[in-house]
Amino acid sequence: MPDEPGPAHLGTSGRRPVVIALARITRLPGAVILLPMLAGASLSALAGTRGAFGPVTDALTRCALPCIAVLLIAVGAQVRPAGIPALAGRAGVVLFGTTLVPALLLLAVAWRFGREGVVGIPLLTLLAVALSSSYAMWAHTAHRYGTREDAAAGCLASAISSSPVAPLLVVAVWQGTGGAVSWRLLVDSVLPLIVGVALGAVLPGSREPLRGLLGPLLPALAFSLGWGIPIAALVHQAPAGLALAAIIGLISGGLVALAWHKVLRRSAVVGWSAAAVAANSAALPQILAAGDPAWRPYLSTATAQAATAALISTALAALLVTAAARRANPPDLADPADGPQAVPSVPDDGQTSDPGLNHAVAVLTIQNRTGGMS
């Protein structure tokens, strides 16, 4: 009687369906963001009003802002001062697609429809989601398909656009109150990245340890942000969130991908990650309503719609990045279920270009065939 296939046979056609399914899921560029975010939202729903299960999970659910700050420092440390001019150009491209063009469209909506917004989506929702891009999605995609400068530029742009500064500026222009914007928020958004650049320049040896933090930081950040997404509200506002994610994702992601390819002469794959709305956009309605009581009647609706749009847009961005990667270089995304030839070996030095994430079979496949990224 032949022996039962064991773990050593998982790289052959006899691999278990569960392993194959997991390999396919983790191959998705946004899986490292989307799956922890869904896990956080699901566990939050199970916990209900009791909150976290204990002190450890309580710390994990409150780590979003610290994770973002450390992420920006770690990404900034990878940037060499000589590359800063290129960094500014790339960040400008991202801000053009994710913030400037949407801001002009939002001003047109504000002047035409006011706070009520359009088709059941209040202006407060649009201010929260239309001007931002996801730190985590960009960092993961650029780290996988681009360069350190790509990652830093996108994170810099996300730091600016995903803070309250962008919607406050739009409201200030709409209401004619430019002096109402606190420029300290802008400094607060970019300061961690500047600290990282300085740290990498003064202590070059710190770059590699900080780079290794990116792997565990991204899922921890996604889980913490997901914890704050209300599942019940997601279900109720799913149609509005789906429409927002599709429209904003295609506009922002499409513009950045197009400019990334035509202006910067780089692969459009990284640019499509701008389709993901920042998960912390669900907190922006509360910030805006705290500063202006006129927004309070729209607060609950805007929070639920923003949370839904953030979750759906992350999945949409992952699909767009996957499609763009297939079109740019089909062999890079070979199906891990196709057979032994799709299972790579780890490089001799045991290092990959995506620290902390090299456990996924498909990710290893990509890195093995492309030879890694600098």
Side-chain angles (χ1 to χ4, degrees):
M1 182 176 180
D3 294 336
E4 292 293 327
H9 294 79
L10 294 180
T12 70
S13 58
R15 289 179 298 172
R16 297 173 183 173
V18 173
V19 175
I20 296 174
L22 287 174
R24 286 174 173 167
I25 292 173
T26 54
R27 182 184 53 165
L28 195 66
V32 72
I33 307 303
L34 184 60
L35 295 182
M37 188 181 292
L38 285 171
S42 301
L43 289 175
S44 176
L46 288 175
T49 56
R50 295 171 297 176
F53 299 98
V56 176
T57 51
D58 182 66
L60 185 59
T61 61
R62 299 173 185 269
C63 72
L65 290 178
C67 279
I68 289 174
V70 177
L71 175 67
L72 290 173
I73 293 174
V75 170
Q78 311 308 313
V79 180
R80 290 169 172 78
I84 289 179
L87 184 71
R90 296 176 206 189
V93 165
V94 178
L95 286 172
F96 170 79
T98 62
T99 305
L100 179 59
V101 172
L104 295 176
L105 295 176
L106 279 187
L107 284 172
V109 171
W111 283 322
R112 175 66 178 83
F113 300 102
R115 296 178 192 270
E116 295 290 334
V118 59
V119 293
I121 301 175
L123 181 62
L124 185 60
T125 301
L126 298 175
L127 288 168
V129 304
L131 304 173
S132 68
S133 59
S134 171
Y135 297 92
M137 188 67 188
W138 184 279
H140 173 57
T141 306
H143 192 56
R144 179 169 172 179
Y145 292 107
T147 65
R148 299 171 184 176
E149 287 74 20
D150 292 339
C155 286
L156 172 61
S158 293
I160 296 172
S161 65
S162 302
S163 72
V165 172
L168 286 173
L169 281 172
V170 172
V171 172
V173 173
W174 172 45
Q175 297 181 335
T177 56
V181 178
S182 172
W183 293 101
R184 294 178 61 183
L185 292 173
L186 180 59
V187 175
D188 177 75
S189 300
V190 300
L191 187 59
L193 194 69
I194 296 173
V195 170
V197 174
L199 183 61
V202 175
L203 298 173
S206 66
R207 289 192 175 114
E208 195 58 33
L210 287 173
R211 187 184 181 193
L213 292 176
L214 296 178
L217 273 177
L218 292 175
L221 169 60
F223 181 89
S224 179
L225 292 172
W227 186 272
I229 297 177
I231 290 290
L234 290 180
V235 175
H236 182 66
Q237 296 293 344
L242 179 60
L244 280 170
I247 295 172
I248 295 172
L250 291 175
I251 291 176
S252 296
L255 285 173
V256 175
L258 180 65
W260 208 259
H261 179 60
K262 297 296 184 182
V263 177
L264 299 178
R265 303 295 181 183
R266 303 181 64 79
S267 171
V269 176
V270 175
W272 279 112
S273 63
V277 172
N280 67 317
S281 61
L284 289 179
Q286 181 67 48
I287 296 174
L288 294 175
D292 185 355
W295 293 114
R296 289 178 184 171
Y298 311 98
L299 181 58
S300 59
T301 299
T303 300
Q305 290 177 347
T308 309
L311 193 59
I312 295 176
S313 69
T314 301
L316 174 63
L319 294 175
L320 291 172
V321 169
T322 300
R326 282 185 182 276
R327 184 174 181 180
N329 195 3
D332 282 354
L333 290 175
D335 193 335
D338 288 342
Q341 70 275 12
V343 181
S345 59
V346 179
D348 293 338
D349 60 0
Q351 300 295 319
T352 69
S353 63
D354 202 355
L357 302 176
N358 54 4
H359 59 284
V361 173
V363 175
L364 287 173
T365 301
I366 294 170
Q367 292 171 335
N368 186 62
R369 293 191 173 185
T370 58
M373 294 172 293
S374 60

